[in-house]
Amino acid sequence: MTDLATRYNIPGQHFWLHGPRSGPAVEFDAQTGMWSVYGYPEAHDILGDPETFSSNTLRLLPKGMVPDSEEFSMEGFITQIDPPLHGKLRKLVSSAFTRKVVADLEPRIAELTRELLDAAKERGHLELVTDLAYPLPVIVIAELLGVPTSDRDLFKQWADALFQRDAKFSLSEPAETQQMDAAIKPWKEMTAYLAAHAAERRAHPRADLITRLVEAEVDGERLPDDQVVNFAMTLLLAGHITTTMLLGNTVLCLDAFPDQQARVMADRSLVPHAIEESLRLFTPFAAVSRATRREVTVGEATIPADQMMLVWLAAANRDPRQFADPETFDLGRDPNPHVAFGRGVHFCLGAPLARLEGRVALDILLDYFGPLRAAEGVEMIPTPTMTGVRRLALA
Ligand code: HEM
């Protein structure tokens, strides 16, 4: 894998892409002030135990590191909320964002993929991210929510301002404050934009997801306005960057492992395996955070209460204790119990959509341009906790 890291200019901070790591499964990182978890069984247990490991990690950030919570806070977001409140909220949003709503999108995803690839074919070249991996999921999520796809440059500006940072997150480095401050404006704009859409749907319901969220009801309870906005915002942001990373990474994996690409070219029933194996080997959200509620022993480490933890899903997905030959992209890996979508109560709500988009788009991409070969100059997103291709032109 070291060769691949060099070949694709993968930054050093993406340590999980630089060959097998040695060292303990859990360790304290003095530079960030957080505990890092790298092992699969440890990550598996932590994600399955929200009683001990809270998702509400913002409370541990030192004062001054995050802007005033009145202005900018993730506190009310589903990913930060613990049981039992989390279960109630998840039930409500799931009643609007169902598997059927997602499954029904398949023909539209295929149509959009063909439109985008036809345009690239006409131009005679394909830069995967700009031409397919970015626009496809954004258009799909915008259409699903019911916000104008023509506003997608705006969504990109917001998503970039909120996500694409190159600084390492640290509890002890105040430099982060500046980056957070820069995120306030897009945050406010996005909140106001979605609040206006939600208010409009209350007055004039339509056949879209924002209307379904506004009308969602479980046991006589509805989502409060701010939760409709929060969830729409989560979907718009998550619907953006994640599948974009997944598609780019999958093409990179196929380029790096041509024997596996030949297999999937010859047998398209392997397309879903390619998507799962890409999620394992190039895990898009490389890490998720948790906070200890009490002193607890994880692996060999004893961690005090109220400590911030980074659970490195990307490293867990390459743990040789769980995956044989973990550095190899292997379409025959079955079962493939990767934790790229997390695990437990917070398991990714968008996993069915990401998988569907990945599967449909890869199948059509192979029809149009297979075998897929990356040209020189692949670029990765610099954000330390993300694994994703930012630029990949086909040779
Ligand atoms: C949660 C990864 C795509 C919506 C999560 C979590 C992970 C994840 C790791 C768990 C976070 C935690 O435990 O703290 C991914 C990956 C994706 C992807 C790798 C694509 C390859 C999507 C998409 C959507 C989405 C397309 C929606 C359009 C969500 C939501 C949650 C979530 C709403 C929060 C669930 C909860 O807290 O109950 N995702 N995601 N994700 N994801 Fe995704």
Side-chain angles (χ1 to χ4, degrees), residues 57-197:
T57 51
L58 292 174
R59 71 185 172 85
L60 292 183
L61 298 181
K63 279 200 183 340
M65 177 174 275
V66 280
D68 186 344
S69 63
E70 292 280 304
E71 298 214 17
F72 171 70
S73 171
M74 288 288 292
E75 204 91 28
F77 279 70
I78 188 163
T79 47
Q80 283 283 320
I81 295 174
D82 289 322
L85 197 59
H86 172 268
K88 220 162 112 178
L89 181 60
R90 177 130 176 164
K91 228 176 172 175
L92 268 161
V93 295
S94 313
S95 75
F97 187 48
T98 61
R99 279 181 181 264
K100 166 138 179 40
V101 165
V102 171
D104 288 348
L105 293 172
E106 179 158 357
R108 180 65 182 139
I109 294 171
E111 181 183 41
L112 278 169
T113 305
R114 289 202 180 89
E115 271 174 35
L116 291 164
L117 292 183
D118 281 336
K121 238 191 168 137
E122 232 163 74
R123 281 193 305 274
H125 65 89
L126 181 98
E127 195 286 293
L128 189 82
V129 178
T130 316
D131 297 336
L132 177 70
Y134 177 70
L136 175 68
V138 179
I139 297 172
V140 170
I141 198 69
E143 288 186 355
L144 184 65
L145 283 167
V147 295
T149 52
S150 52
D151 286 344
R152 67 179 204 254
D153 285 346
L154 206 55
F155 309 151
K156 179 160 168 48
Q157 279 169 32
W158 291 333
D160 285 353
L162 292 170
F163 282 108
Q164 296 216 8
R165 310 193 206 139
D166 50 13
K168 192 171 180 186
F169 180 79
S170 162
L171 288 179
S172 50
E173 263 177 43
E176 185 75 3
T177 316
Q178 263 183 330
Q179 301 208 19
M180 287 281 192
D181 283 345
I184 291 179
K185 189 167 164 276
W187 183 270
K188 280 183 163 172
E189 285 173 7
M190 200 168 180
T191 307
Y193 177 92
L194 290 169
H197 274 284

Side-chain angles (χ1 to χ4, degrees), residues 208-220:
D208 62 27
L209 185 57
I210 295 189
T211 305
R212 291 172 66 89
L213 288 168
V214 162
E215 292 178 347
E217 196 173 308
V218 172
D219 301 333

